[in-house]
Amino acid sequence: MPEIKASSVEPGKKAKISNTGILFIVLVVLFALFSYVGRPFFFSTLNLVPMLNNLSFIGIIAAVLTMVMVSGDIDFSIGGNIGLTACLVALLLSKGLPGWLVVIIALCGGAIMGAFNGFLATVIGVNSIIATIGTMFIWRGIGYTLSNGESMLAMNPVIDYIGRGFLFKVIPFPIVIFIVVFVITYVIMNLSKWGRRIYAIGTNPMASYLSGINVKKVKFVGFLLCGITASLGGLILTSLSAVGMPQHGQGLELVIISGIVLGGTALGGGKGQILGTLAGILILSVLYNFLTIMNVYYFYIQIVQGSVLVLVVATYEIRQSRALKRV
Amino acid sequence: MSKTKVLLVLVLAVALVVTFTILPGCKTTTTTTAAAETTAAAETTAAAETTAAAAETTAAPTETTAAGGYPAYEALREAAKANKEYPGAPAKDFSLAFTNIMGGIPFCESVWKNVQDQWKLAGGDPNKLYYADNQYDATIGLKNADIMLAKKPSVLINFQFDSKVNSIIGVKFGAANIPIIAVDVPTPGAPFMGVNNFKVAYMAGTEAIARVEAMGGIDKIDKIILMQMPSGGEVTMLRSEGFYQAFVDKYGADVIDPKTVRADGGAGEAEQANKAMTDVLAKNPDAKTVVLTSINEQTMSGVIAAVQTAGRWDPEKFIVITQGCDATGQQQLRDGLTDASIAYFPEKYGEYLIPGSVALMQGQPVPAFMYVENQVITKDNIDQFYPKS
């Protein structure tokens, strides 16, 4: 289903390790290496917990965006969604609304943004790249309008807890949300009929339609969920920074999409794994963290991150073409 | 999908939970985050902003570095200004973290270079000088602050563009008892070093007014164009609003407001400013005698290019005053493209930051505000401050 496996094309031979498996091995090797080279700073709770905390809002969005990308679409508006959500949250808090209500409104706002993207892409039929690049500007523009281009303090016990709270006084709450979202998306993508429909649509939307799958509905729900999780990401980022500002999330869409592609999701749809996405964003984050700890200039960090992305995706292609040749 | 994989995911989740519970140090001080830190941050933000605003509106014409009352800092400053090794290598047993607002920009690179030079002069170990690039992004700034916190430096020099986001950084480092020095943008509760944005903008405005008078007065001016940077927040807005205020103080709002055009010049780069200026020119076809200012030199280079492309460039009719006087600005002045630039001397920032940091490392007090000297640089005096190499 999601990946071409050597075992499926070469019956009788020993199964080869999947791309996701390789990624996790790479991650473990990098982690071990960085822990040694970057001692005593890298492998410490003082470093790893904040790293996971800062990664959480990216991971949450990446998990759901993987579903959208596997179905053959993409959502570039997530960064704009984050910026708008951040401004909306700060503005509503400044008006004296209770934190729980602000959270609900923010998530509803995310749902509306996601639904609008879904409407453009599925009902109107606008290419999702174009549609969501357009809405990315719209959401951020509204964010600038709401905030008058300025950052606004966003402090409230409920909002604070979302990004800076601790479950059982030990586990950072964003990491809990991160794990929950990943488990849910894993179950949806790998164990449910809905997930199989997503893969089928991504592989061949026409065949899926002819076989009775409601293609538009599946795609629409994907955008809807993506909008909600982007807003959730915006809420976490607002809480982490205690500030709502329209610049929040700027350029984040490329970081998230890079992580997803690194994880093995095909831009054309039909192929991708939630666990691969997890490994992809972890690798990018661990790389950034380690290189910064080692005092490496950001220019070089960009070169390394870009090279890793190109190298890994090229490896996927080579493995895939070799597998196809053997058929 | 096999049950084994589901089991693996669940085991992973449980393992993470257990890890967080068991690992030492996981019970971080942030258990009180939700309530206590929030209040503290809110209070310190309000306090710092009030003080910063008060200081910024003072608009003193020259350097306002506090004199007297800080003997350790002042002694270190003397060594720094002389560009000599600090007596006794006072930084040798300490570490220092520096988060740069945006690497790659001449101004920021000059600051970083001077910090490195001064750190060496103070006897600091280069391996204990930690660096991160905030890339003009609050999210990355927060991430970098966390990484720096993990390295437990003796002092953090925080150069991050949003003062409100700095409140969280201030709280985190405060909880770890690591002092901060804020550069150019206030960090609540931390001493401030850098530019008084309102003051330098006012200086630029005053310089422009002198040239307006030389041209025959404000009636001769068609437009006053402020190429701003709203995305940089209030602090960078002061860098042009002070310019406007100087004109209002001289001629009155009723005269200045109809002539003033505020444009969003993007994120401080030439390309966006070029587009913005092209739009401004299109909307103001009759504007021939123009006063121009921008938040930095890169923005102004884009603005001037737009005027030239439109075929409306006339050095005699454009009064161009810029901010920063970095390498780009010096070249523009020498080429006659700009009339004056307010120098911040980023190549001397380390002369304030390292003495301040070392004093804090020694537990000595430092001034709450360490303002750099600013100077109006023109074609006439540029060689005095920036000799041709």
Side-chain angles (χ1 to χ4, degrees):
Chain A
M1 179 175 61
E3 289 181 25
I4 294 176
K5 290 181 180 171
S7 56
S8 62
V9 289
E10 288 184 276
K13 284 197 173 181
K14 197 175 177 183
K16 285 187 178 176
I17 193 159
S18 67
N19 287 336
T20 306
I22 291 175
L23 268 184
F24 271 102
I25 291 169
V26 168
L27 179 64
V28 169
V29 170
L30 284 179
F31 196 84
L33 185 70
F34 293 170
S35 297
Y36 179 75
V37 178
R39 67 186 187 283
F41 304 119
F42 182 81
F43 191 68
S44 67
T45 49
L46 202 55
N47 179 47
L48 296 180
V49 174
M51 186 188 80
L52 283 174
N53 219 17
N54 289 323
L55 172 76
S56 58
F57 67 93
I58 291 175
I60 290 162
I61 301 167
V64 178
L65 185 57
T66 303
M67 294 166 68
V68 174
M69 287 174 67
V70 169
S71 74
D73 282 311
I74 201 160
D75 187 348
F76 278 108
S77 73
I78 43 183
N81 184 325
I82 290 171
L84 174 52
T85 303
C87 294
L88 185 66
V89 167
L91 186 72
L92 294 176
L93 288 177
S94 72
K95 302 285 179 198
L97 266 70
W100 61 267
L101 185 59
V102 171
V103 171
I104 292 171
I105 293 172
L107 293 178
C108 288
I112 292 168
M113 287 185 258
F116 188 71
N117 284 336
F119 172 78
L120 289 176
T122 61
V123 179
I124 306 290
V126 182
N127 182 296
S128 62
I129 297 174
I130 306 300
T132 57
I133 286 176
T135 53
M136 172 182 74
F137 289 117
I138 296 170
W139 308 151
R140 198 170 295 287
I142 297 172
Y144 272 104
T145 309
L146 288 180
S147 64
N148 203 21
E150 295 173 358
S151 56
M152 297 178 284
L153 280 174
M155 290 177 167
N156 172 280
V158 176
I159 303 295
D160 292 349
Y161 188 80
I162 291 173
R164 287 178 279 136
F166 286 77
L167 192 66
F168 309 127
K169 295 184 177 180
V170 174
I171 312 167
F173 192 63
I175 298 176
V176 176
I177 305 175
F178 175 55
I179 293 168
V180 168
V181 170
F182 257 93
V183 170
I184 292 171
T185 46
Y186 181 87
V187 170
I188 291 173
M189 291 295 279
N190 295 288
L191 302 170
S192 73
K193 280 183 187 172
W194 193 269
R196 283 195 282 278
R197 286 177 191 148
I198 291 172
Y199 280 110
I201 290 167
T203 307
N204 192 331
M206 183 54 75
S208 306
Y209 172 74
L210 293 173
S211 64
I213 296 173
N214 189 337
V215 176
K216 285 184 178 179
K217 184 179 169 186
V218 172
K219 284 180 173 246
F220 183 88
V221 171
F223 280 110
L224 181 75
L225 293 175
C226 199
I228 294 170
T229 45
S231 282
L232 184 56
L235 270 166
I236 294 172
L237 183 54
T238 307
S239 173
L240 282 171
S241 60
V243 164
M245 60 200 301
Q247 297 93 338
H248 269 343
Q250 207 154 353
L252 215 56
E253 52 281 327
L254 286 183
V255 175
I256 294 172
I257 291 167
S258 300
I260 295 170
V261 172
L262 184 64
T265 298
L267 283 172
K271 193 177 146 192
Q273 282 283 342
I274 292 295
L275 288 179
T277 294
L278 177 63
I281 58 164
L282 278 171
I283 286 173
L284 286 182
S285 188
V286 162
L287 266 176
Y288 179 86
N289 185 282
F290 169 74
L291 293 172
T292 306
I293 277 180
M294 298 307 291
N295 265 7
V296 175
Y297 261 42
Y298 181 66
F299 319 129
Y300 301 115
I301 297 177
Q302 282 184 314
I303 293 170
V304 172
Q305 286 183 324
S307 303
V308 168
L309 181 65
V310 170
L311 191 72
V312 171
V313 175
T315 308
Y316 291 154
E317 293 303 320
I318 292 165
R319 276 169 63 90
Q320 173 127 345
S321 61
R322 279 186 183 171
L324 288 171
K325 275 181 192 169
R326 283 197 291 267
V327 175
Chain B
M1 205 45 61
S2 70
K3 286 179 182 173
T4 321
K5 285 189 177 177
V6 182
L7 196 66
L8 274 172
V9 173
L10 290 172
V11 167
L12 179 71
V14 172
L16 274 169
V17 172
V18 172
T19 309
F20 282 121
T21 316
I22 292 170
L23 276 180
C26 226
K27 289 179 181 176
T28 54
T29 50
T30 33
T31 44
T32 52
T33 301
E37 286 188 358
T38 301
T39 326
E43 282 168 359
T44 47
T45 305
E49 279 177 358
T50 311
T51 0
E56 275 164 352
T57 47
T58 308
T62 51
E63 184 190 17
T64 50
T65 306
Y70 304 99
Y73 168 76
E74 282 157 15
L76 292 162
R77 267 279 291 155
E78 289 306 314
K81 278 198 280 189
N83 220 22
K84 289 179 179 169
E85 287 186 358
Y86 296 20
K92 71 176 177 188
D93 296 326
F94 297 99
S95 57
L96 177 67
F98 177 77
T99 53
N100 207 348
I101 193 165
M102 189 167 180
I105 301 276
F107 184 94
C108 304
E109 291 300 322
S110 294
V111 174
W112 170 228
K113 187 181 177 306
N114 194 231
V115 165
Q116 288 173 289
D117 293 344
Q118 288 291 326
W119 179 246
K120 277 183 203 160
L121 289 175
D125 179 352
N127 293 320
K128 288 185 178 176
L129 177 58
Y130 311 137
Y131 176 85
D133 183 350
N134 288 336
Q135 300 160 56
Y136 217 88
D137 185 324
T139 314
I140 294 170
L142 283 168
K143 197 158 65 174
N144 287 340
D146 281 335
I147 294 172
M148 291 298 132
L149 192 57
K151 297 178 87 168
K152 297 179 187 166
S154 308
V155 171
L156 168 73
I157 297 174
N158 185 38
F159 197 3
Q160 202 281 126
F161 89 99
D162 190 89
S163 60
K164 296 190 184 84
V165 172
N166 281 343
S167 67
I168 281 289
I169 295 172
V171 167
K172 285 182 177 180
F173 278 75
N177 285 322
I178 297 171
I180 295 177
I181 295 181
V183 185
D184 273 351
V185 182
T187 297
F192 174 94
M193 183 270 142
V195 170
N196 183 332
N197 283 290
F198 187 88
K199 188 191 90 177
V200 293
Y202 204 92
M203 282 171 74
T206 307
E207 181 66 21
I209 288 166
R211 287 161 194 275
V212 167
E213 290 298 311
M215 278 177 83
I218 193 68
D219 294 341
K220 303 281 182 191
I221 302 298
D222 297 323
K223 289 291 171 195
I224 299 166
I225 299 172
L226 314 176
M227 196 54 69
Q228 302 184 310
M229 185 178 160
S231 62
E234 299 97 299
V235 175
T236 50
M237 289 299 279
L238 286 173
R239 208 172 279 183
S240 53
E241 289 302 331
F243 188 92
Y244 161 80
Q245 192 59 46
F247 272 83
V248 169
D249 288 352
K250 173 77 178 171
Y251 303 110
D254 53 331
V255 175
I256 297 305
D257 283 351
K259 293 179 187 286
T260 304
V261 178
R262 289 179 173 81
D264 182 353
E269 294 294 333
E271 191 186 346
Q272 290 166 303
N274 184 288
K275 285 179 189 161
M277 189 62 193
T278 303
D279 291 343
V280 170
L281 290 170
K283 282 179 197 163
N284 298 279
D286 299 328
K288 291 191 171 50
T289 315
V290 175
V291 176
L292 273 175
T293 192
S294 67
I295 63 123
N296 65 12
E297 303 289 357
Q298 286 69 32
T299 304
M300 188 55 82
S301 63
V303 167
I304 293 170
V307 180
Q308 289 172 330
T309 305
R312 290 165 66 173
W313 177 248
D314 182 351
E316 300 301 316
K317 291 186 175 175
F318 275 74
I319 297 170
V320 185
I321 315 289
T322 58
Q323 295 284 346
C325 203
D326 59 15
T328 308
Q330 292 159 34
Q331 193 58 49
Q332 288 179 157
L333 261 175
R334 288 198 162 100
D335 291 346
L337 293 170
T338 57
D339 295 292
S341 177
I342 310 301
Y344 301 167
F345 303 111
E347 65 278 6
K348 291 184 179 178
Y349 268 40
E351 293 175 18
Y352 298 83
L353 290 169
I354 299 302
S357 301
V358 173
L360 289 172
M361 287 166 188
Q362 294 171 337
Q364 299 297 322
V366 298
F369 293 93
M370 294 169 272
Y371 287 133
V372 290
E373 292 177 59
N374 297 115
Q375 176 70 42
V376 179
I377 306 289
T378 64
K379 209 171 179 178
D380 297 332
N381 67 359
I382 187 167
D383 290 334
Q384 181 189 334
F385 292 93
Y386 298 103
K388 276 185 185 172
S389 53

